[in-house]
């Protein structure tokens, strides 16, 4: 027989949602930072071809 789950409180739901959003924010910030360093050629983890 199926038993209904307990209802999660609004505050717990909000906390989990904010953690999930924050994780996305940091991922986007990191990606933007990497793109910025690539465009200015200041990246330490990528090698650039020099045309000489």
């Amino acid at each position: 027989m199926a038993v209904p789950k307990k209802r999660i409180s609004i505050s717990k739901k909000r906390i989990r949602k904010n953690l999930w959003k924050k994780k996305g924010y940091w991922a986007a910030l990191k990606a933007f930072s990497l793109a910025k360093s690539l465009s200015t050629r200041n990246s330490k983890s990528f090698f650039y071809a020099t045309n000489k």
Side-chain angles (χ1 to χ4, degrees), residues 18-37:
N18 284 337
L19 285 171
W20 184 78
K21 283 182 183 177
K22 203 176 279 187
K23 195 185 275 190
Y25 169 77
W26 286 116
L29 197 72
K30 201 171 181 182
F32 183 74
S33 175
L34 179 63
K36 205 162 97 175
S37 68

Side-chain angles (χ1 to χ4, degrees), residues 5-16:
K5 291 182 180 176
K6 280 188 170 181
R7 189 175 185 277
I8 297 172
S9 68
I10 293 171
S11 62
K12 278 188 180 176
K13 186 178 178 182
R14 194 176 292 135
I15 288 166
R16 286 198 184 109

